[in-house]
Amino acid sequence: MIDGLALAQALLRADSVTPARGAVFDVLESALVPIGFAVDRFVVGAAPDGPVENIIALRPGSGRHLAFAGHVDVVPPGDGWTGSPWSGAIRGELLYGRGAVDMKGAVAAFAAAASRATGPTLSLLITGDEEGPATYGTPALIERMAARGIAPDLCLVGEPTSVHRLGDMVKIGRRGSVNIWIDVPGRQGHVAYPHLADNPAGKLAKALAALQAMGLDHGNAWFQPSNLEITDIAIGNPAHNVIPARAGARLNIRFNDEQRGADLIERVRALVHEHAPAAIVTGKVSGEAFLTEPGAFTALVSAAIEAQTGLVSELSTSGGTSDARFLSKLCPTVEFGLVNATMHQVDEAVAVADLDALTAIYADVIARLAIG
């Protein structure tokens, strides 16, 4: 059997700032092969978004196929750690290291659970690019699965969804995200002679004010209202007496399942053109909103959590995007993992007791699928 704590420590000791390759995957492969998984490791992509390493680990069984999806890449640790961010040190009741919560701890917990429970077909879909642009991560995993004829029936993503206590929240959906860039051209000139210039700043200001006043929706039973946020305004004019030649802005919209990313880009473009007809508006959809309707799978995961923790989980769609936005196109997908209080922070840490409990919950999920 796999010791989940020891595996988590080994994973934490492998520096794997996104995009990740090499040592951290060596650690995971060496743990999975002895418990019956066939491991397919592959590297795809090139700079600037790659290369990225991914793993498809598959162990055949009977009945339904449960895929566990996660990532072993991490964000940069930053400065100010009490010890090394790559130490995997235990101090008191906590295991420290970059990725302890997000999400090497959950990867270790599922591997340990798979070593305890048998029955259904299991796979681990592990990427080295969740914290990055995801260009060569989970989308590449999905392509390779399709080429190999691997089609999971259910997917459990180990993102840190718990808020105050392990088990208090399960994510059954996520809002979508779209980034939009606005570039308003003008004509440079002297501020004392505005009739000889064309100031783009005022046009941009009016467009941004209209965008902020634009209503998107009121939300629905499972999603909060969509929101538009201005994230950057750039003119870059070093002179106080010069009308600038260009003015630009960037915004992000987090949207629910009443919207679609491409439609939002067009809506923004049309409104901007009312105030700045020559503006160039471009957008990139990071992911569409998705919802796994409560049903048999969410009930099974919730029952396993309650059996191990005594908590009745809240089903939620809150938070940012995750790789579930890609995986939800394959099969019913839910997310459940550790308490997220320290993710991406200095001295990121997980309670050792929570790591053990998460292993027990994942093992319970596997066992319930075997029975069902």
Side-chain angles (χ1 to χ4, degrees), residues 137-188:
T138 297
L141 275 167
I142 291 173
E143 288 183 9
R144 197 168 182 97
M145 290 164 61
R148 293 183 54 193
I150 298 173
D153 300 301
L154 305 165
C155 185
L156 177 60
V157 182
E159 285 291 335
T161 61
S162 301
V163 181
H164 302 293
R165 294 176 58 191
L166 178 69
D168 61 6
M169 183 174 288
V170 171
K171 298 292 178 69
I172 60 170
R174 297 275 187 165
R175 292 192 297 171
S177 175
V178 60
N179 289 300
I180 301 176
W181 292 263
I182 303 168
D183 182 21
V184 182
R187 185 169 66 253
Q188 183 175 313

Side-chain angles (χ1 to χ4, degrees), residues 21-202:
R21 289 183 296 154
V24 69
F25 289 95
D26 295 339
V27 171
L28 186 57
E29 181 178 16
S30 66
L32 294 175
V33 170
I35 60 170
F37 282 88
V39 174
D40 176 14
R41 289 173 61 173
F42 60 101
V43 177
V44 291
D49 294 346
V52 174
E53 187 163 11
N54 303 299
I55 273 184
I56 300 171
L58 181 66
R59 188 175 74 188
S62 58
R64 289 174 289 180
H65 173 180
L66 172 66
F68 174 86
H71 62 93
V72 289
D73 64 312
V74 297
V75 296
D79 299 324
W81 285 70
T82 301
S84 168
W86 314 113
S87 68
I90 298 173
R91 296 195 295 274
E93 299 176 348
L94 300 178
L95 169 64
Y96 288 85
R98 173 57 82 224
V101 170
D102 190 13
M103 60 171 282
K104 293 179 179 180
V107 172
F110 192 85
S115 73
R116 300 179 186 181
T118 59
T121 294
L122 297 178
S123 61
L124 284 86
L125 313 176
I126 308 298
T127 180
D129 185 30
E130 196 275 343
E131 299 291 6
T135 304
Y136 302 116
T138 297
L141 275 167
I142 291 173
E143 288 183 9
R144 197 168 182 97
M145 290 164 61
R148 293 183 54 193
I150 298 173
D153 300 301
L154 305 165
C155 185
L156 177 60
V157 182
E159 285 291 335
T161 61
S162 301
V163 181
H164 302 293
R165 294 176 58 191
L166 178 69
D168 61 6
M169 183 174 288
V170 171
K171 298 292 178 69
I172 60 170
R174 297 275 187 165
R175 292 192 297 171
S177 175
V178 60
N179 289 300
I180 301 176
W181 292 263
I182 303 168
D183 182 21
V184 182
R187 185 169 66 253
Q188 183 175 313
H190 197 292
V191 294
Y193 302 92
H195 60 288
L196 299 178
D198 181 13
N199 196 332

